[in-house]
């Protein structure tokens, strides 16, 4: 799996995802559970929609998501 979510993009996704999930828990907004999607894609560094449309926000395109 190749990373297609870059550093700034990952940070924004993680912060936004955490905020929405917190809103779901504390604000009683059931739609806010959708925040799990940007949270997971930010943590994984891979976005399925990016790969479908051929988009990448990573500077070096050959980077692998496998952490060693």
């Amino acid at each position: 799996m190749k990373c297609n979510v870059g550093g700034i993009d990952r940070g924004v996704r993680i912060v936004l995802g955490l905020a929405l999930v917190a809103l779901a828990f504390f604000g009683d907004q059931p739609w806010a559970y959708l925040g799990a999607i940007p949270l997971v894609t930010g943590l994984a560094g891979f976005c399925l929609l990016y790969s479908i449309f051929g988009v990448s926000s990573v500077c070096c395109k050959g980077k692998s998501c496998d952490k060693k």
Side-chain angles (χ1 to χ4, degrees), residues 1-50:
M1 201 166 52
K2 300 284 184 191
C3 282
N4 60 4
V5 179
I8 295 173
D9 193 3
R10 287 179 85 168
V12 170
R13 287 172 185 256
I14 291 169
V15 169
L16 180 66
L18 286 173
L20 285 173
V21 170
L23 181 64
F25 282 121
F26 301 116
D28 198 30
Q29 299 292 327
W31 56 267
Y33 284 110
L34 292 174
I37 296 169
L39 180 61
V40 169
T41 58
L43 291 173
F46 178 77
C47 178
L48 182 62
L49 287 177
Y50 273 16

